[in-house]
Amino acid sequence: MIDKVYCADVRPDMEGKRVKLAGWVYRKREVGKKVFIVLRDSSGIVQTIFKKELSDEAYAEAKKAGIESSVIVEGTVKADPRAPTGIEIQADRIQIVQNVDFFPITKDASDEFLLDVRHLHLHSPKVASIMKVKATMMQAAREWLLQDGWYEVFPPILVTGAVEGGATLFKLKYFDKTAYLSQSAQLYLEAAIFGLEKVWSLTPSFRAEKSRTRRHLTEFWHLELEGAWMDLWDIMKVEEELVSYMVQRTLELRKGDIETFRKDFTTLKNTVPPFPRISYDEAIDILQSKGVGIEWGEDMGADEERILTQEFEAPFFVYGYPKHIKAFYMKEDPEDPRKVLAADMLAPEGYGEVIGGSQREDDYDKLVQRILDEGMDPKDYEWYLDLRKYGSVPHSGFGLGLERLVAWVLKLDHVRWATLFPRTPSRLYP
Ligand SMILES: NC(=O)C[C@H]([NH3+])C(=O)NS(=O)(=O)OC[C@H]1O[C@@H](n2cnc3c(N)ncnc32)[C@H](O)[C@@H]1O
Ligand SMILES: [Mg+2]
């Protein structure tokens, strides 16, 4: 690795110091016998100036460098309040590593074009900021999970059955058998709790969703937890403590990156336990009072959730959903057999569901009946049903959609911007 410094590490108090930087030409302009190049690297930008009188050779080379050319620049630090970061490099050497005559992404590029050339869009400092925030949120999650005693496990992605309904399974040929891409690691995490009790995984999950909404991907990163001996209320506490730690820690470490996307931090600062909790019944009442034509028993979609989030200035829970709109594995509410012990966490500002969670049915016979009620074949879930035969315990868990959480934190207009290479029904390339 060359002995370079990062743009963000060059400070005004380094006046007179000689430095070497490596990066890409972010902005460029020529004024008289001077070339100004704003150099970009992973830490940020710094202004460099090439004066003909300082180095004829470097000035001539700098004139050739096109936008997004890769370059190595050397020069002397000079404090200059007019420069974007308060300092300027009086450059006397430049090596063009690879010159770019024309970089295809221009200011007026459409979203679809940016997605077509996503591999080049990753040059963008704004995209880099999104990825830094996403990385920091997972760094924070790992910090919290470690200190709270959760074990990371590594479940399979090639599976034999549905967790969240067969309609959104991606099927593939597996030698002489049929396999599917995992919709959720949940069932495998439920097996892992018998040895580890508190487990988590971060895996890609796949949903052959045809819905073209701003919050659906066909491949997304899924942070899932499963806890033995925990009921719904226990796991909701885990969820709010984990999410608040992720948000507060990212605010602490990535404030500048977040400011690139949002100016008002109120809802992020409000993301502290306990989160507000409303029942599904109360949610329906609120929606009906706002004129939404929804009846008890119907599922809330993105539009209904968007309206509901207007009532809150922080993430909040909706719990106690009707059984018939939720998954087979969810435990029936002993106080109301029409309902299940499930809770979603909704993000404010219109973003809606970021977490789906529930207490699981831990009784063998009841689970078989739920599978049959859903029109599925218990034989397809033989191993999963075994978990209710050999020391079954009350247990609960949830799945957090990482891109959805990042989309809310950064107020992105589509969840696709929160993933390196988005996968949607119409996008499989690059
Ligand atoms: N371990 C568990 O209990 C997880 C459970 N089996 C599950 O998959 N629940 S979920 O379908 O609501 O998905 C969980 C979350 O996963 C996210 N999710 C779910 N589907 C998507 C799509 N298509 N795109 C992006 N994000 C998605 C969203 O935030 C959901 O709240
Ligand atoms: Mg859900």
Side-chain angles (χ1 to χ4, degrees):
M1 174 111 178
I2 59 172
D3 60 341
K4 69 168 201 151
V5 295
Y6 285 93
C7 294
D9 296 335
V10 184
R11 298 177 310 278
D13 63 7
M14 292 164 64
E15 172 106 18
K17 198 168 173 320
R18 187 164 180 77
V19 293
K20 180 191 282 190
L21 298 144
W24 293 266
V25 175
Y26 183 54
R27 296 279 183 270
K28 180 184 169 186
R29 63 192 168 86
E30 297 189 33
V31 178
K33 296 293 183 201
K34 294 176 190 152
V35 176
F36 292 87
I37 286 179
V38 176
L39 181 75
R40 171 186 65 77
D41 68 15
S42 59
S43 71
I45 59 169
V46 75
Q47 179 158 295
T48 65
I49 179 171
F50 296 80
K51 293 176 187 166
K52 186 174 173 49
E53 81 237 19
L54 183 61
S55 164
D56 203 3
E57 186 192 350
Y59 168 74
E61 198 65 5
K63 279 172 71 73
K64 291 180 206 162
I67 296 297
E68 289 304 321
S69 298
S70 43
V71 295
I72 299 172
V73 171
E74 292 184 56
T76 308
V77 178
K78 181 169 173 293
D80 183 338
R82 295 166 303 171
T85 59
I87 46 106
E88 187 174 73
I89 310 296
Q90 307 286 317
D92 54 30
R93 285 189 69 180
I94 180 170
Q95 176 194 343
I96 299 179
V97 177
Q98 200 225 359
N99 197 23
V100 176
D101 294 327
F102 171 68
F103 190 67
I105 295 179
T106 53
K107 273 207 173 58
D108 57 355
S110 70
D111 285 352
E112 283 311 306
F113 178 74
L114 290 176
L115 291 166
D116 288 342
V117 293
R118 182 64 172 176
H119 52 298
L120 302 180
H121 191 208
L122 300 185
H123 283 232
S124 152
K126 276 190 84 171
V127 175
S129 281
I130 294 171
M131 299 310 157
K132 288 176 187 175
V133 165
K134 187 175 188 178
T136 304
M137 291 191 80
M138 265 317 297
Q139 171 197 330
R142 288 190 169 91
E143 286 173 6
W144 187 88
L145 289 161
L146 189 62
Q147 63 79 33
D148 201 55
W150 295 77
Y151 291 100
E152 183 176 10
V153 292
F154 305 87
I157 301 300
L158 291 168
V159 297
T160 56
V163 183
E164 299 300 328
T168 62
L169 280 172
F170 279 113
K171 183 162 124 177
L172 66 148
K173 195 161 168 31
Y174 188 79
F175 302 107
D176 60 346
K177 296 186 179 67
T178 294
Y180 303 100
L181 293 179
S182 170
Q183 295 169 313
S184 159
Q186 177 192 324
L187 309 192
Y188 297 96
L189 299 185
E190 289 188 61
I193 66 172
F194 291 84
L196 297 167
E197 293 190 72
K198 292 166 64 173
V199 295
W200 71 276
S201 64
L202 175 70
T203 60
S205 283
F206 301 86
R207 307 282 169 101
E209 306 258 11
K210 295 188 178 57
S211 37
R212 295 166 191 275
T213 73
R214 69 175 201 165
R215 65 180 195 172
H216 282 95
L217 295 163
T218 51
E219 174 180 352
F220 66 95
W221 284 89
H222 204 176
L223 175 59
E224 299 182 83
L225 274 68
E226 199 70 30
W229 312 109
M230 291 185 179
D231 65 17
L232 179 65
W233 318 110
D234 296 325
I235 206 71
M236 286 163 76
K237 252 175 82 36
V238 170
E239 290 173 40
E240 65 189 8
E241 286 173 18
L242 173 60
V243 166
S244 52
Y245 186 83
M246 290 169 78
V247 170
Q248 299 314 323
R249 186 85 169 110
T250 305
L251 265 180
E252 177 193 338
L253 298 174
R254 292 286 174 203
K255 191 163 182 289
D257 292 295
I258 298 174
E259 276 169 343
T260 308
F261 296 90
R262 66 153 73 215
K263 298 305 171 217
D264 181 352
F265 282 23
T266 306
T267 57
L268 302 181
K269 289 182 177 152
N270 290 348
T271 303
V272 291
F275 292 179
R277 288 153 164 76
I278 61 169
S279 68
Y280 167 86
D281 299 7
E282 288 166 318
I284 296 296
D285 290 346
I286 291 169
L287 290 170
Q288 287 175 343
S289 71
K290 294 162 85 73
V292 176
I294 187 168
E295 298 304 324
W296 193 96
E298 290 177 3
D299 203 357
M300 288 180 281
D303 291 341
E304 291 78 16
E305 289 186 356
R306 183 171 39 75
I307 294 165
L308 193 59
T309 67
Q310 291 163 0
E311 301 294 300
F312 299 89
E313 278 286 287
F316 62 99
F317 289 104
V318 179
Y319 64 87
Y321 285 83
K323 182 166 65 175
H324 68 276
I325 58 174
K326 283 295 187 183
F328 73 94
Y329 53 76
M330 295 185 183
K331 189 174 185 62
E332 208 173 85
D333 182 346
E335 288 166 26
D336 184 343
R338 298 174 306 159
K339 297 177 184 174
V340 283
L341 298 173
D344 281 0
M345 184 190 291
L346 276 62
E349 297 166 294
Y351 283 84
E353 182 187 346
V354 290
I355 289 183
S358 66
Q359 186 169 343
R360 314 334 186 157
E361 182 49 72
D362 53 284
D363 175 85
Y364 178 86
D365 294 328
K366 285 183 179 168
L367 187 57
V368 169
Q369 192 53 54
R370 289 292 312 278
I371 289 171
L372 291 169
D373 291 349
E374 294 295 323
M376 301 189 299
D377 184 347
K379 272 206 306 304
D380 293 340
Y381 293 90
E382 204 168 329
W383 73 266
Y384 182 60
L385 285 162
D386 270 359
L387 305 181
R388 276 70 179 170
K389 277 188 192 166
Y390 300 98
S392 187
V393 291
H395 61 288
S396 301
F398 66 90
L400 178 157
L402 190 56
E403 286 80 19
R404 287 196 183 179
L405 193 64
V406 170
W408 162 56
V409 168
L410 296 180
K411 294 194 83 174
L412 303 177
D413 67 11
H414 195 297
V415 75
R416 65 192 175 192
W417 301 121
T419 188
L420 211 59
F421 287 90
R423 294 294 179 254
T424 64
S426 55
R427 192 158 295 278
L428 182 60
Y429 176 89

